[in-house]
Amino acid sequence: MKNIDKLIQKALELQANGLVTRQIADELNVSRETVTWLLTRAKKEEVSSAPKDISVNWSSIGKSAFRMRHVGIAMCDMVLDTVEATGNEIDLVVGIGLSGVPLASLIAEELNTELSVYHAYNEQGDDSKLNGAFSRNFAGIKGKKCIIVDDVITTGNTMADVVTHLRSSGAKPLAIAVLVDKSGSETLSEVPVHSLVRITRVD
């Protein structure tokens, strides 16, 4: 119960600072459904049972550039196993903002490739209408062979959106690399998923 109370408090703080449900979910590494449940529970309203979700706190890695660098190297190694077997070469690393960007930067440096950044957003909270854009301040994606990097996959919706945007621009997503995969997927939109940790719920 203590951990739930901490999550509720953090969700309330983020909401008070102007973050919307999607941004709070990204920051806490939980689903939007879980954020809604946390905020509703904080108001002491009648709430349904807790959603089946797992909160991932990787701040012990994120606060250390040394640790981040080594995690980035491990993620590179995982991806290269698959990509090299296909005979493709990686031209571009795509980092999903916010938390995927530091990892993507380290991986791009390790692979000596260009870096692109994708900003996901969805103010309406409707997962069927995800939106996002690639930042013009980073490398272009047209015609590039790329890997996509983020910290956590929760539902896979954001990742599927990135893959769709890449393909519509003529880019070829070769692999996905994440710290933690909560969706349990080996592929998303027919792109192999590589995670340092894959969480599988046993019901």
Side-chain angles (χ1 to χ4, degrees):
M1 196 60 128
K2 182 178 173 184
N3 289 335
I4 295 290
D5 292 338
K6 284 183 181 179
L7 279 174
I8 290 170
Q9 186 60 39
K10 188 62 180 172
L12 288 170
E13 287 172 19
L14 294 169
Q15 186 183 47
N17 287 327
L19 274 68
V20 295
T21 301
R22 176 183 180 78
Q23 294 166 321
I24 297 169
D26 288 346
E27 185 63 26
L28 297 179
N29 291 313
V30 297
S31 68
R32 286 176 282 282
E33 176 187 11
T34 299
V35 171
T36 301
W37 182 84
L38 291 168
L39 294 173
T40 303
R41 184 175 170 126
K43 295 176 185 174
K44 307 288 187 225
E45 295 176 7
E46 187 70 31
V47 293
S48 59
S49 59
K52 292 182 179 181
D53 199 357
I54 296 168
S55 173
V56 177
N57 179 350
W58 59 275
S59 63
S60 62
I61 297 169
K63 67 183 175 185
S64 166
F66 176 81
R67 293 176 193 154
M68 289 280 289
R69 186 170 194 285
H70 288 284
V71 166
I73 290 169
M75 291 171 76
C76 265
D77 185 58
M78 285 188 317
V79 168
L80 286 176
D81 276 349
T82 300
V83 174
E84 287 176 349
T86 67
N88 286 301
E89 290 198 21
I90 301 165
D91 302 318
L92 179 71
V93 175
V94 176
I96 299 178
L98 179 69
S99 296
V101 175
L103 291 165
S105 297
L106 293 165
I107 292 170
E109 179 183 15
E110 186 71 20
L111 296 174
N112 195 28
T113 66
E114 292 184 324
L115 174 68
S116 183
V117 173
Y118 182 85
H119 296 287
Y121 56 88
N122 177 4
E123 302 304 321
Q124 284 72 40
D126 180 359
D127 285 345
S128 66
K129 297 179 182 174
L130 290 174
N131 294 301
F134 287 90
S135 173
R136 65 186 184 110
N137 295 319
F138 297 89
I141 60 172
K142 188 173 184 175
K144 302 284 177 79
K145 295 176 185 171
C146 55
I147 62 171
I148 307 164
V149 177
D150 203 359
D151 61 337
V152 178
I153 294 174
T154 300
T155 63
N157 291 340
T158 300
M159 200 62 72
D161 192 48
V162 174
V163 170
T164 299
H165 275 78
L166 287 167
R167 288 179 176 152
S168 69
S169 297
K172 182 178 181 183
L174 302 173
I176 294 166
V178 295
L179 288 175
V180 179
D181 176 13
K182 297 191 324 183
S183 73
S185 303
E186 292 192 17
T187 63
L188 282 170
S189 300
E190 301 176 5
V191 179
V193 174
H194 301 277
S195 60
L196 290 178
V197 177
R198 176 169 287 137
I199 296 171
T200 306
R201 183 174 294 281
V202 180
D203 291 327

